[in-house]
Structures are given as C-alpha cells and as structure tokens.
Amino acid sequence: MARKRVAILISGRGSNMTALIEAAADPDFPAEIALVLSNRADAGGLARAAEAGIATAVIDHKAYGSRAEFDAAMDARLRADAIDLVCLAGFMRLLTDGFVEGWRDRMINIHPSLLPLFPGLHTHERAIEAGMRLHGCTVHFVRAQMDSGPIIGQAAVPIALDDTPDTLSKRVLTAEHQLYPLALALVASGLASVENERLVMQGDVPADLAGMLLSPHFGG
Ligand code: GRF
C-alpha cells in the first residue's frame, strides 16, 4: 500500500514534528512526511525539517487580511502537494470551520492533556492546580471546536507531588513523542477511522499499536 503523504503544521520548536520525521524514516512506517508548513518564518522546526531533507514552506498569517484567506492559502499549498493527512504539531493558529471541514478525518492534533480535561493553554499548570495525580497527552481528529474531536490515542503520566509545570511538561513531552507516531501510524494505515464521532479500529490491532500508553518515564 502506498504510504500516505503527510504535512506537519508547526509554529515553534517542532519536537513532535521531529518525532514524526524520525518514525517515518522507517520505510515500513505507513506515512511519509512530504511537507512541513509553518505560519512563522522563525519556527525552530523549519531548520530541523530541512536538515532531514523535507520540503518546508512558510505561509505567514500576518500577510493575510482574514483567517479565511490564510487558511485558503494553506489549503491550496496542501492540495498542490497532494497531501493526504495533516498533523498539527504545536501549530498556534485557530483554524476556520471551512478549513477543518475540508480536512475532516484527515487532520489530527496532539494536545498536552488527557482530553476532554484541560483544553486550551497552560495545561500542566492547570493539572497541578487541580490536584490531579495523572496527566498526559492526547492525539485526536480535529473538529471545529478547539481541542475536541474523536480521540485516537492517549498517554498517561503520573504527577509527582513536587512537580512544577516545567518538570511535568518534560515528562508529558517524552510521552508525546512516543504517542504521536503511534497515532499517525494507526490513521495512515487505515486501522483507525471514525464512526459516529468515536474511534473504530479495523481487524486485529497489534498490541504495540493499541493507541494507549502508560508512560514508564517516571523517576520520582
Ligand atoms: C506540545 O506540547 C503539543 O502537545 C502542543 O504544543 C507543543 C508543541 O511542542 N500542541 P513542539 O513544537 O512539538 O516541541
């Protein structure tokens, strides 16, 4: 089966992008990273993608008069590059309903919380303040409402009593880098799809692709 052509949308350092690029370097991975697109020319991830020999593009949102025009420019580039799937990886722009619908069930996002808990920003701080003992990350299909949509996979990490948002974010980020390639593989291979706004899996899903991780990365 042909590998799915994936575009990764970033706005910053791109550590999840790097995890996806590394996973897709394996010819058996069901997706290839065909494009890294950023709305910011200074996104650190752009140089890392270029180093890996991946096509990059900058579409600066400030050059457009409206969200709809910016999204239309991104959409045109994605379609010109024959992209099959879009991965949001620290892409810090709200997307219009039209763009989201145009990529329905073909666009996924990683969010640093166990959704539906803590959508939005400052998730680590909010999980600590709420007294949670578990936290984590979620990969989900993108819907018009921010940080919502059918969940593909989640990884849970413990919260230590002396965690700060910084120490906790590092633990979650390690889990993100494991979870995102796994979730992309599920979608790109066709094993995972959506029915009635819930995830469905086709056939026997190998245990290592089960879509849920309990993080072993807990030192104290
Ligand atoms: C990650 O925590 C991701 O979950 C969130 O934004 C952050 C991006 O980090 N959506 P990076 O650019 O992938 O390093």
Side-chain angles (χ1 to χ4, degrees):
M1 199 168 65
R3 303 170 88 200
K4 290 281 192 290
R5 288 173 60 77
V6 169
I8 307 175
L9 271 50
I10 63 168
S11 298
R13 66 188 165 184
S15 70
N16 278 289
M17 173 209 77
T18 300
L20 293 176
I21 290 173
E22 285 172 1
D26 178 347
D28 289 334
F29 193 80
E32 61 175 303
I33 310 305
L35 176 68
V36 170
L37 198 161
S38 173
N39 64 309
R40 296 178 57 117
D42 62 355
L46 285 171
R48 299 174 81 174
E51 270 165 36
I54 290 166
T56 62
V58 175
I59 299 182
D60 182 351
H61 61 276
K62 294 193 289 300
Y64 296 86
S66 67
R67 285 190 193 277
E69 288 168 82
F70 169 63
D71 284 5
M74 285 202 300
D75 189 70
R77 175 64 196 245
L78 296 171
R79 293 185 194 278
D81 284 21
I83 296 302
D84 299 306
L85 294 171
V86 175
C87 290
L88 305 180
F91 184 69
M92 301 304 286
R93 301 297 301 169
L94 290 175
L95 296 165
T96 56
D97 292 4
F99 183 87
V100 171
E101 276 309 305
W103 291 92
R104 190 181 179 89
D105 297 342
R106 295 191 298 143
M107 178 158 61
I108 67 179
N109 178 49
I110 188 156
H111 179 75
S113 80
L114 293 173
L115 291 172
L117 290 172
F118 311 122
L121 297 174
H122 309 300
T123 57
H124 310 303
E125 200 174 323
R126 287 156 65 203
I128 290 170
E129 273 171 16
M132 297 286 295
R133 302 307 318 278
L134 282 176
H135 187 41
C137 51
T138 302
V139 178
H140 62 95
F141 288 101
V142 175
R143 294 293 182 262
Q145 191 187 342
M146 191 184 59
D147 299 328
S148 76
I151 290 170
I152 302 159
Q154 295 186 304
V157 304
I159 299 180
L161 294 177
D162 60 355
D163 262 332
T164 63
D166 190 48
T167 58
L168 182 55
S169 74
K170 290 196 172 92
R171 190 174 310 119
V172 172
L173 196 62
T174 302
E176 291 184 40
H177 298 160
Q178 294 177 286
L179 179 69
Y180 211 170
L182 185 155
L184 174 59
L186 281 176
V187 174
S189 64
L191 282 171
S193 54
V194 183
E195 267 174 34
N196 300 322
E197 289 302 85
R198 292 274 303 269
L199 188 78
V200 289
M201 299 278 215
Q202 314 297 329
D204 290 330
V205 177
D208 63 343
L209 280 182
M212 183 192 73
L213 293 170
L214 287 175
S215 177
H217 298 277
F218 187 50

